[in-house]
Amino acid sequence: MKESEIIRTLFGTTPPPEDDCYFLAPNRLVTTDSLSEGTHFLHYWSSPEILAKKLVEVNVSDIVASGGTPNECFLNLGLSPLSRKKEWIRRFSKELRKSLDQYGMKLAGGDTFSSPTTQLALTVVGTVEKPWLRSGGKTGDYLYLTGSLGLSQLGYKTLKKKSKDKIYKEAVERHLSPKSRYVILNHLKNFKIHACMDITDGLIQDAERLALTSKGRLKIQIESVPLHPLALKELGLDLCLGSGEELELLFLSPEILPTKLAGISVTMIGKLNQGKPGVTLQKDGKTYIPKSRGFFHFSEEE
């Protein structure tokens, strides 16, 4: 089954949630995310420190993409014969505390269990005045993207090839240790943000999710999409557009934003129009159909 079909089955007749965070009125956000050995990482390229940092960052990114600030968290650890070793636990725990401290987060509880492979899950609770929901987009809103895309996918390919070439160092670091855009949060709050999400499964899929929930047609100009030069050269256009785990923010606003906030580039890449909900990619004045759509959690979807 596809991931979307599994989710719909779980919720039955109740519509599944549209956002990565659940809003608990009046001001609470809750999100959860996981790292699974074999699906999201392999031990031979991900140290305990890298896994601890990434687990925190992917969850904080969800809170930030909803306009919130992280506060408390709950940790579930499925520990394999390798990860239940004392040295692994000590290294993971030390980096976890460090990563939580930088956001002022408190570890409030969780669960541990034995597992054939390492399974890491974090649930984060945050606060927000008014959440940025994916459904908040309005006709005429401009589509913006922070940073650039492609490096995470290049890093993944480099790790699979076991390449030691130094020109790929930044790409490998981007894939192993992505950073949430927390530093830009307070700057974005100075503008009207109607809808927002982070890039985890690639621009193609995530833009489609944003368009469907905001019930509009997103028109994206590919020439405007900031793609990392090295990634574009090595991977080509489609793989860069589908690069997952980037944690860049994709958002809709009726305002013209500065091209840089908190030292991070902000690029207008499209617009939300009326029409059948979905995405139209345009390149050289023509509709562009990519050959691949990005990362899927289940191979049957590819």
Tab-separated table of all heavy atoms in Angstrom, residues 74-136:
chain	number	residue	atom	x	y	z
A	74	PHE	N	9.374	13.922	24.081
A	74	PHE	CA	9.302	12.556	24.592
A	74	PHE	C	10.044	11.652	23.611
A	74	PHE	O	9.811	11.712	22.405
A	74	PHE	CB	7.842	12.119	24.728
A	74	PHE	CG	7.053	12.959	25.691
A	74	PHE	CD1	6.506	14.175	25.286
A	74	PHE	CD2	6.870	12.544	27.001
A	74	PHE	CE1	5.789	14.954	26.170
A	74	PHE	CE2	6.150	13.327	27.898
A	74	PHE	CZ	5.610	14.536	27.489
A	75	LEU	N	10.916	10.799	24.130
A	75	LEU	CA	11.818	9.993	23.304
A	75	LEU	C	11.489	8.509	23.402
A	75	LEU	O	11.404	7.957	24.496
A	75	LEU	CB	13.259	10.226	23.742
A	75	LEU	CG	14.346	9.372	23.067
A	75	LEU	CD1	14.481	9.748	21.600
A	75	LEU	CD2	15.682	9.566	23.788
A	76	ASN	N	11.306	7.866	22.261
A	76	ASN	CA	11.140	6.409	22.198
A	76	ASN	C	12.338	5.809	21.492
A	76	ASN	O	12.670	6.213	20.375
A	76	ASN	CB	9.863	6.032	21.435
A	76	ASN	CG	8.609	6.254	22.262
A	76	ASN	OD1	8.680	6.716	23.400
A	76	ASN	ND2	7.462	5.923	21.712
A	77	LEU	N	12.976	4.843	22.141
A	77	LEU	CA	14.173	4.217	21.589
A	77	LEU	C	13.972	2.722	21.406
A	77	LEU	O	13.745	1.990	22.382
A	77	LEU	CB	15.366	4.432	22.535
A	77	LEU	CG	15.941	5.837	22.685
A	77	LEU	CD1	17.101	5.799	23.685
A	77	LEU	CD2	16.417	6.361	21.356
A	78	GLY	N	14.053	2.270	20.164
A	78	GLY	CA	14.108	0.851	19.880
A	78	GLY	C	15.570	0.500	19.655
A	78	GLY	O	16.157	0.910	18.647
A	79	LEU	N	16.167	-0.207	20.584
A	79	LEU	CA	17.610	-0.412	20.580
A	79	LEU	C	18.000	-1.807	20.081
A	79	LEU	O	17.508	-2.815	20.582
A	79	LEU	CB	18.176	-0.179	21.980
A	79	LEU	CG	17.954	1.235	22.524
A	79	LEU	CD1	18.415	1.338	23.967
A	79	LEU	CD2	18.675	2.257	21.653
A	80	SER	N	18.903	-1.814	19.117
A	80	SER	CA	19.387	-3.059	18.521
A	80	SER	C	20.602	-3.559	19.307
A	80	SER	O	21.100	-2.864	20.211
A	80	SER	CB	19.785	-2.793	17.068
A	80	SER	OG	20.947	-1.974	17.031
A	81	PRO	N	21.120	-4.744	18.979
A	81	PRO	CA	22.332	-5.216	19.655
A	81	PRO	C	23.478	-4.210	19.572
A	81	PRO	O	24.285	-4.110	20.493
A	81	PRO	CB	22.662	-6.511	18.897
A	81	PRO	CG	21.319	-7.024	18.463
A	81	PRO	CD	20.543	-5.784	18.101
A	82	LEU	N	23.541	-3.440	18.474
A	82	LEU	CA	24.603	-2.441	18.347
A	82	LEU	C	24.296	-1.200	19.185
A	82	LEU	O	25.136	-0.737	19.960
A	82	LEU	CB	24.789	-2.045	16.879
A	82	LEU	CG	25.956	-1.116	16.530
A	82	LEU	CD1	26.385	-1.304	15.086
A	82	LEU	CD2	25.636	0.355	16.775
A	83	SER	N	23.086	-0.664	19.056
A	83	SER	CA	22.784	0.612	19.709
A	83	SER	C	22.478	0.488	21.195
A	83	SER	O	22.382	1.510	21.884
A	83	SER	CB	21.616	1.299	18.987
A	83	SER	OG	20.480	0.483	18.928
A	84	ARG	N	22.325	-0.729	21.721
A	84	ARG	CA	22.100	-0.835	23.162
A	84	ARG	C	23.415	-0.937	23.939
A	84	ARG	O	23.423	-1.016	25.175
A	84	ARG	CB	21.189	-2.017	23.491
A	84	ARG	CG	21.817	-3.391	23.357
A	84	ARG	CD	20.856	-4.461	23.866
A	84	ARG	NE	19.657	-4.517	23.053
A	84	ARG	CZ	19.318	-5.558	22.295
A	84	ARG	NH1	20.086	-6.640	22.254
A	84	ARG	NH2	18.224	-5.532	21.571
A	85	LYS	N	24.542	-0.913	23.218
A	85	LYS	CA	25.842	-0.930	23.891
A	85	LYS	C	26.044	0.355	24.681
A	85	LYS	O	25.616	1.422	24.276
A	85	LYS	CB	26.965	-1.102	22.866
A	85	LYS	CG	26.973	-2.472	22.198
A	85	LYS	CD	28.103	-2.587	21.180
A	85	LYS	CE	28.110	-3.974	20.540
A	85	LYS	NZ	29.187	-4.098	19.521
A	86	LYS	N	26.718	0.229	25.827
A	86	LYS	CA	26.883	1.359	26.742
A	86	LYS	C	27.533	2.561	26.076
A	86	LYS	O	27.087	3.701	26.240
A	86	LYS	CB	27.721	0.928	27.955
A	86	LYS	CG	27.850	2.011	29.019
A	86	LYS	CD	28.677	1.537	30.200
A	86	LYS	CE	27.950	0.428	30.951
A	86	LYS	NZ	28.701	0.030	32.185
A	87	GLU	N	28.565	2.335	25.278
A	87	GLU	CA	29.269	3.448	24.637
A	87	GLU	C	28.360	4.174	23.648
A	87	GLU	O	28.370	5.404	23.554
A	87	GLU	CB	30.523	2.927	23.923
A	87	GLU	CG	31.337	4.003	23.211
A	87	GLU	CD	31.887	5.062	24.159
A	87	GLU	OE1	31.967	4.809	25.383
A	87	GLU	OE2	32.233	6.175	23.682
A	88	TRP	N	27.557	3.422	22.888
A	88	TRP	CA	26.636	4.035	21.931
A	88	TRP	C	25.613	4.895	22.660
A	88	TRP	O	25.336	6.036	22.269
A	88	TRP	CB	25.928	2.953	21.119
A	88	TRP	CG	25.224	3.454	19.885
A	88	TRP	CD1	25.692	3.423	18.608
A	88	TRP	CD2	23.917	4.063	19.812
A	88	TRP	NE1	24.778	3.985	17.740
A	88	TRP	CE2	23.677	4.388	18.454
A	88	TRP	CE3	22.945	4.374	20.753
A	88	TRP	CZ2	22.498	4.994	18.030
A	88	TRP	CZ3	21.766	4.990	20.334
A	88	TRP	CH2	21.553	5.290	18.993
A	89	ILE	N	25.034	4.361	23.732
A	89	ILE	CA	24.026	5.088	24.513
A	89	ILE	C	24.613	6.356	25.111
A	89	ILE	O	23.979	7.431	25.090
A	89	ILE	CB	23.462	4.202	25.634
A	89	ILE	CG1	22.679	3.017	25.043
A	89	ILE	CG2	22.568	5.020	26.567
A	89	ILE	CD1	21.421	3.425	24.315
A	90	ARG	N	25.814	6.269	25.640
A	90	ARG	CA	26.445	7.444	26.254
A	90	ARG	C	26.675	8.542	25.226
A	90	ARG	O	26.401	9.717	25.491
A	90	ARG	CB	27.771	7.043	26.906
A	90	ARG	CG	27.614	6.309	28.231
A	90	ARG	CD	28.962	5.883	28.781
A	90	ARG	NE	28.832	5.323	30.122
A	90	ARG	CZ	29.825	4.737	30.786
A	90	ARG	NH1	31.026	4.632	30.205
A	90	ARG	NH2	29.625	4.265	32.005
A	91	ARG	N	27.173	8.179	24.064
A	91	ARG	CA	27.446	9.169	23.018
A	91	ARG	C	26.142	9.787	22.492
A	91	ARG	O	26.054	10.997	22.285
A	91	ARG	CB	28.228	8.515	21.882
A	91	ARG	CG	29.652	8.129	22.256
A	91	ARG	CD	30.306	7.292	21.171
A	91	ARG	NE	30.364	8.005	19.891
A	91	ARG	CZ	30.778	7.433	18.756
A	91	ARG	NH1	31.125	6.155	18.750
A	91	ARG	NH2	30.818	8.146	17.644
A	92	PHE	N	25.146	8.949	22.284
A	92	PHE	CA	23.848	9.441	21.811
A	92	PHE	C	23.231	10.394	22.836
A	92	PHE	O	22.739	11.477	22.489
A	92	PHE	CB	22.912	8.250	21.562
A	92	PHE	CG	21.526	8.647	21.116
A	92	PHE	CD1	21.247	8.852	19.771
A	92	PHE	CD2	20.499	8.802	22.044
A	92	PHE	CE1	19.965	9.221	19.362
A	92	PHE	CE2	19.222	9.172	21.639
A	92	PHE	CZ	18.959	9.386	20.294
A	93	SER	N	23.261	9.998	24.106
A	93	SER	CA	22.646	10.789	25.171
A	93	SER	C	23.328	12.141	25.348
A	93	SER	O	22.656	13.167	25.543
A	93	SER	CB	22.687	10.021	26.492
A	93	SER	OG	21.986	8.800	26.385
A	94	LYS	N	24.643	12.156	25.280
A	94	LYS	CA	25.385	13.407	25.436
A	94	LYS	C	25.020	14.395	24.338
A	94	LYS	O	24.772	15.583	24.591
A	94	LYS	CB	26.891	13.128	25.418
A	94	LYS	CG	27.745	14.376	25.632
A	94	LYS	CD	29.230	14.027	25.643
A	94	LYS	CE	30.076	15.282	25.842
A	94	LYS	NZ	31.538	14.949	25.852
A	95	GLU	N	24.965	13.922	23.097
A	95	GLU	CA	24.634	14.808	21.978
A	95	GLU	C	23.156	15.199	22.008
A	95	GLU	O	22.812	16.328	21.643
A	95	GLU	CB	24.964	14.126	20.653
A	95	GLU	CG	24.844	15.029	19.440
A	95	GLU	CD	25.754	16.247	19.535
A	95	GLU	OE1	26.942	16.088	19.848
A	95	GLU	OE2	25.256	17.374	19.297
A	96	LEU	N	22.304	14.288	22.446
A	96	LEU	CA	20.881	14.601	22.542
A	96	LEU	C	20.667	15.771	23.508
A	96	LEU	O	19.942	16.723	23.192
A	96	LEU	CB	20.096	13.383	23.017
A	96	LEU	CG	18.589	13.610	23.172
A	96	LEU	CD1	17.920	13.714	21.808
A	96	LEU	CD2	17.951	12.487	24.001
A	97	ARG	N	21.290	15.707	24.685
A	97	ARG	CA	21.139	16.785	25.676
A	97	ARG	C	21.651	18.106	25.114
A	97	ARG	O	21.035	19.163	25.299
A	97	ARG	CB	21.865	16.431	26.966
A	97	ARG	CG	21.215	15.300	27.751
A	97	ARG	CD	21.804	15.183	29.142
A	97	ARG	NE	23.222	14.830	29.113
A	97	ARG	CZ	23.671	13.581	29.125
A	97	ARG	NH1	22.812	12.568	29.150
A	97	ARG	NH2	24.964	13.336	29.115
A	98	LYS	N	22.764	18.036	24.395
A	98	LYS	CA	23.334	19.239	23.785
A	98	LYS	C	22.390	19.838	22.741
A	98	LYS	O	22.183	21.055	22.689
A	98	LYS	CB	24.684	18.893	23.142
A	98	LYS	CG	25.419	20.066	22.517
A	98	LYS	CD	26.745	19.612	21.929
A	98	LYS	CE	27.451	20.751	21.210
A	98	LYS	NZ	28.734	20.286	20.602
A	99	SER	N	21.817	18.974	21.909
A	99	SER	CA	20.902	19.430	20.864
A	99	SER	C	19.623	20.024	21.451
A	99	SER	O	19.103	21.027	20.957
A	99	SER	CB	20.550	18.274	19.922
A	99	SER	OG	21.694	17.824	19.225
A	100	LEU	N	19.123	19.404	22.518
A	100	LEU	CA	17.918	19.922	23.164
A	100	LEU	C	18.189	21.257	23.851
A	100	LEU	O	17.361	22.177	23.807
A	100	LEU	CB	17.378	18.910	24.181
A	100	LEU	CG	16.856	17.584	23.625
A	100	LEU	CD1	16.399	16.679	24.760
A	100	LEU	CD2	15.723	17.802	22.642
A	101	ASP	N	19.343	21.363	24.467
A	101	ASP	CA	19.698	22.590	25.187
A	101	ASP	C	19.743	23.814	24.280
A	101	ASP	O	19.391	24.917	24.698
A	101	ASP	CB	21.052	22.431	25.890
A	101	ASP	CG	20.965	21.542	27.131
A	101	ASP	OD1	19.831	21.276	27.583
A	101	ASP	OD2	22.026	21.112	27.622
A	102	GLN	N	20.183	23.637	23.037
A	102	GLN	CA	20.292	24.792	22.141
A	102	GLN	C	18.928	25.396	21.815
A	102	GLN	O	18.819	26.566	21.446
A	102	GLN	CB	21.016	24.415	20.853
A	102	GLN	CG	20.229	23.531	19.919
A	102	GLN	CD	20.921	23.336	18.579
A	102	GLN	OE1	21.554	24.239	18.062
A	102	GLN	NE2	20.792	22.142	18.026
A	103	TYR	N	17.856	24.604	21.999
A	103	TYR	CA	16.496	25.101	21.769
A	103	TYR	C	15.743	25.317	23.087
A	103	TYR	O	14.559	25.649	23.066
A	103	TYR	CB	15.707	24.121	20.901
A	103	TYR	CG	16.249	24.003	19.496
A	103	TYR	CD1	16.795	22.810	19.031
A	103	TYR	CD2	16.212	25.091	18.621
A	103	TYR	CE1	17.285	22.698	17.739
A	103	TYR	CE2	16.700	24.989	17.327
A	103	TYR	CZ	17.235	23.794	16.892
A	103	TYR	OH	17.719	23.698	15.612
A	104	GLY	N	16.409	25.101	24.207
A	104	GLY	CA	15.755	25.254	25.501
A	104	GLY	C	14.678	24.212	25.735
A	104	GLY	O	13.683	24.458	26.417
A	105	MET	N	14.878	23.019	25.172
A	105	MET	CA	13.875	21.957	25.271
A	105	MET	C	14.144	21.040	26.456
A	105	MET	O	15.291	20.790	26.829
A	105	MET	CB	13.855	21.129	23.978
A	105	MET	CG	13.365	21.895	22.761
A	105	MET	SD	13.599	20.949	21.231
A	105	MET	CE	12.528	19.535	21.536
A	106	LYS	N	13.058	20.508	27.006
A	106	LYS	CA	13.141	19.591	28.139
A	106	LYS	C	12.728	18.192	27.703
A	106	LYS	O	11.691	18.017	27.058
A	106	LYS	CB	12.216	20.076	29.262
A	106	LYS	CG	12.123	19.116	30.437
A	106	LYS	CD	11.095	19.605	31.446
A	106	LYS	CE	10.944	18.611	32.594
A	106	LYS	NZ	9.914	19.061	33.562
A	107	LEU	N	13.548	17.193	28.053
A	107	LEU	CA	13.173	15.800	27.816
A	107	LEU	C	12.237	15.390	28.945
A	107	LEU	O	12.636	15.320	30.112
A	107	LEU	CB	14.408	14.893	27.790
A	107	LEU	CG	14.151	13.405	27.539
A	107	LEU	CD1	13.469	13.192	26.196
A	107	LEU	CD2	15.461	12.617	27.598
A	108	ALA	N	10.963	15.131	28.606
A	108	ALA	CA	9.931	14.931	29.631
A	108	ALA	C	9.526	13.474	29.833
A	108	ALA	O	8.753	13.171	30.738
A	108	ALA	CB	8.692	15.755	29.272
A	109	GLY	N	10.033	12.561	29.002
A	109	GLY	CA	9.662	11.162	29.166
A	109	GLY	C	9.877	10.378	27.888
A	109	GLY	O	10.518	10.850	26.952
A	110	GLY	N	9.328	9.143	27.854
A	110	GLY	CA	9.474	8.310	26.664
A	110	GLY	C	9.437	6.839	26.983
A	110	GLY	O	8.893	6.422	28.006
A	111	ASP	N	10.059	6.030	26.124
A	111	ASP	CA	10.015	4.582	26.277
A	111	ASP	C	11.243	3.982	25.596
A	111	ASP	O	11.779	4.555	24.642
A	111	ASP	CB	8.734	4.029	25.642
A	111	ASP	CG	8.525	2.556	25.944
A	111	ASP	OD1	9.002	2.096	27.008
A	111	ASP	OD2	7.886	1.853	25.133
A	112	THR	N	11.696	2.845	26.085
A	112	THR	CA	12.795	2.113	25.449
A	112	THR	C	12.376	0.651	25.290
A	112	THR	O	11.633	0.113	26.107
A	112	THR	CB	14.096	2.167	26.283
A	112	THR	OG1	13.837	1.643	27.592
A	112	THR	CG2	14.609	3.598	26.401
A	113	PHE	N	12.866	0.028	24.217
A	113	PHE	CA	12.529	-1.368	23.984
A	113	PHE	C	13.586	-2.010	23.102
A	113	PHE	O	14.331	-1.327	22.394
A	113	PHE	CB	11.139	-1.501	23.347
A	113	PHE	CG	10.979	-0.740	22.055
A	113	PHE	CD1	11.211	-1.354	20.823
A	113	PHE	CD2	10.594	0.591	22.063
A	113	PHE	CE1	11.063	-0.660	19.633
A	113	PHE	CE2	10.433	1.298	20.877
A	113	PHE	CZ	10.671	0.672	19.661
A	114	SER	N	13.653	-3.325	23.141
A	114	SER	CA	14.602	-4.074	22.325
A	114	SER	C	14.050	-4.231	20.915
A	114	SER	O	12.849	-4.452	20.709
A	114	SER	CB	14.841	-5.449	22.943
A	114	SER	OG	15.699	-6.218	22.142
A	115	SER	N	14.945	-4.105	19.911
A	115	SER	CA	14.523	-4.182	18.518
A	115	SER	C	15.645	-4.792	17.672
A	115	SER	O	16.827	-4.603	17.981
A	115	SER	CB	14.191	-2.774	18.011
A	115	SER	OG	13.929	-2.782	16.626
A	116	PRO	N	15.311	-5.520	16.611
A	116	PRO	CA	16.351	-6.074	15.734
A	116	PRO	C	17.177	-4.983	15.066
A	116	PRO	O	18.354	-5.177	14.763
A	116	PRO	CB	15.558	-6.874	14.694
A	116	PRO	CG	14.238	-7.119	15.321
A	116	PRO	CD	13.966	-5.937	16.192
A	117	THR	N	16.530	-3.840	14.797
A	117	THR	CA	17.220	-2.687	14.216
A	117	THR	C	16.937	-1.467	15.072
A	117	THR	O	15.994	-1.456	15.868
A	117	THR	CB	16.733	-2.414	12.775
A	117	THR	OG1	15.316	-2.204	12.796
A	117	THR	CG2	17.072	-3.567	11.852
A	118	THR	N	17.745	-0.426	14.901
A	118	THR	CA	17.579	0.780	15.708
A	118	THR	C	16.411	1.614	15.206
A	118	THR	O	16.331	1.938	14.016
A	118	THR	CB	18.867	1.629	15.669
A	118	THR	OG1	19.956	0.826	16.137
A	118	THR	CG2	18.735	2.862	16.558
A	119	GLN	N	15.498	1.966	16.105
A	119	GLN	CA	14.319	2.776	15.793
A	119	GLN	C	14.269	3.953	16.763
A	119	GLN	O	14.194	3.756	17.978
A	119	GLN	CB	13.037	1.935	15.918
A	119	GLN	CG	13.045	0.634	15.142
A	119	GLN	CD	13.093	0.847	13.640
A	119	GLN	OE1	12.514	1.795	13.116
A	119	GLN	NE2	13.786	-0.041	12.942
A	120	LEU	N	14.325	5.161	16.231
A	120	LEU	CA	14.353	6.363	17.062
A	120	LEU	C	13.129	7.219	16.761
A	120	LEU	O	12.853	7.521	15.601
A	120	LEU	CB	15.616	7.182	16.777
A	120	LEU	CG	16.943	6.410	16.770
A	120	LEU	CD1	18.065	7.305	16.269
A	120	LEU	CD2	17.256	5.886	18.157
A	121	ALA	N	12.396	7.607	17.780
A	121	ALA	CA	11.205	8.443	17.581
A	121	ALA	C	11.158	9.530	18.657
A	121	ALA	O	11.379	9.251	19.840
A	121	ALA	CB	9.941	7.603	17.624
A	122	LEU	N	10.872	10.741	18.228
A	122	LEU	CA	10.774	11.867	19.153
A	122	LEU	C	9.439	12.562	18.948
A	122	LEU	O	9.009	12.784	17.809
A	122	LEU	CB	11.920	12.862	18.895
A	122	LEU	CG	12.176	13.907	19.987
A	122	LEU	CD1	12.744	13.242	21.236
A	122	LEU	CD2	13.141	14.986	19.482
A	123	THR	N	8.782	12.877	20.035
A	123	THR	CA	7.554	13.674	20.004
A	123	THR	C	7.851	15.006	20.677
A	123	THR	O	8.358	15.027	21.802
A	123	THR	CB	6.402	12.961	20.735
A	123	THR	OG1	6.119	11.732	20.070
A	123	THR	CG2	5.150	13.827	20.756
A	124	VAL	N	7.570	16.092	19.968
A	124	VAL	CA	7.887	17.428	20.481
A	124	VAL	C	6.613	18.233	20.688
A	124	VAL	O	5.710	18.217	19.850
A	124	VAL	CB	8.832	18.182	19.508
A	124	VAL	CG1	9.059	19.621	19.986
A	124	VAL	CG2	10.166	17.451	19.396
A	125	VAL	N	6.561	18.920	21.822
A	125	VAL	CA	5.455	19.813	22.143
A	125	VAL	C	5.979	21.244	22.108
A	125	VAL	O	7.031	21.543	22.680
A	125	VAL	CB	4.863	19.511	23.534
A	125	VAL	CG1	3.690	20.455	23.829
A	125	VAL	CG2	4.418	18.056	23.620
A	126	GLY	N	5.281	22.119	21.402
A	126	GLY	CA	5.713	23.503	21.291
A	126	GLY	C	4.582	24.466	21.564
A	126	GLY	O	3.449	24.068	21.844
A	127	THR	N	4.886	25.745	21.500
A	127	THR	CA	3.880	26.781	21.684
A	127	THR	C	3.825	27.669	20.447
A	127	THR	O	4.825	27.842	19.748
A	127	THR	CB	4.195	27.656	22.915
A	127	THR	OG1	5.514	28.191	22.791
A	127	THR	CG2	4.086	26.851	24.191
A	128	VAL	N	2.645	28.232	20.195
A	128	VAL	CA	2.461	29.091	19.042
A	128	VAL	C	1.287	30.030	19.320
A	128	VAL	O	0.332	29.654	20.005
A	128	VAL	CB	2.188	28.254	17.773
A	128	VAL	CG1	0.856	27.524	17.867
A	128	VAL	CG2	2.239	29.104	16.527
A	129	GLU	N	1.373	31.260	18.825
A	129	GLU	CA	0.255	32.189	18.978
A	129	GLU	C	-0.834	31.883	17.956
A	129	GLU	O	-1.998	31.722	18.283
A	129	GLU	CB	0.745	33.631	18.811
A	129	GLU	CG	1.657	34.107	19.953
A	129	GLU	CD	2.096	35.530	19.763
A	129	GLU	OE1	1.549	36.230	18.883
A	129	GLU	OE2	2.995	35.970	20.498
A	130	LYS	N	-0.452	31.798	16.702
A	130	LYS	CA	-1.366	31.449	15.626
A	130	LYS	C	-0.601	30.568	14.646
A	130	LYS	O	0.345	31.011	14.005
A	130	LYS	CB	-1.881	32.698	14.913
A	130	LYS	CG	-2.905	32.402	13.822
A	130	LYS	CD	-3.385	33.672	13.149
A	130	LYS	CE	-4.403	33.353	12.042
A	130	LYS	NZ	-4.860	34.582	11.350
A	131	PRO	N	-0.979	29.300	14.509
A	131	PRO	CA	-0.203	28.376	13.674
A	131	PRO	C	-0.307	28.683	12.185
A	131	PRO	O	-1.325	29.175	11.701
A	131	PRO	CB	-0.830	27.016	13.986
A	131	PRO	CG	-2.239	27.340	14.377
A	131	PRO	CD	-2.152	28.645	15.111
A	132	TRP	N	0.785	28.389	11.467
A	132	TRP	CA	0.777	28.471	10.010
A	132	TRP	C	0.312	27.107	9.499
A	132	TRP	O	1.074	26.146	9.487
A	132	TRP	CB	2.174	28.770	9.484
A	132	TRP	CG	2.732	30.087	9.933
A	132	TRP	CD1	2.042	31.203	10.304
A	132	TRP	CD2	4.125	30.418	10.059
A	132	TRP	NE1	2.908	32.222	10.646
A	132	TRP	CE2	4.187	31.767	10.495
A	132	TRP	CE3	5.308	29.728	9.838
A	132	TRP	CZ2	5.405	32.420	10.728
A	132	TRP	CZ3	6.520	30.365	10.056
A	132	TRP	CH2	6.568	31.704	10.500
A	133	LEU	N	-0.922	27.018	9.075
A	133	LEU	CA	-1.467	25.764	8.574
A	133	LEU	C	-1.305	25.685	7.057
A	133	LEU	O	-1.391	26.697	6.368
A	133	LEU	CB	-2.947	25.653	8.945
A	133	LEU	CG	-3.272	25.750	10.445
A	133	LEU	CD1	-4.785	25.663	10.649
A	133	LEU	CD2	-2.562	24.648	11.226
A	134	ARG	N	-1.109	24.493	6.553
A	134	ARG	CA	-0.957	24.321	5.102
A	134	ARG	C	-2.216	24.742	4.349
A	134	ARG	O	-2.151	25.091	3.180
A	134	ARG	CB	-0.642	22.856	4.780
A	134	ARG	CG	0.692	22.369	5.316
A	134	ARG	CD	0.912	20.926	4.913
A	134	ARG	NE	2.057	20.347	5.590
A	134	ARG	CZ	2.437	19.080	5.482
A	134	ARG	NH1	1.750	18.261	4.691
A	134	ARG	NH2	3.488	18.620	6.137
A	135	SER	N	-3.341	24.704	5.020
A	135	SER	CA	-4.611	25.040	4.379
A	135	SER	C	-4.857	26.546	4.291
A	135	SER	O	-5.873	26.971	3.742
A	135	SER	CB	-5.768	24.398	5.157
A	135	SER	OG	-5.764	24.832	6.512
A	136	GLY	N	-3.941	27.361	4.806
A	136	GLY	CA	-4.176	28.796	4.888
A	136	GLY	C	-3.852	29.602	3.641
A	136	GLY	O	-4.063	30.812	3.599
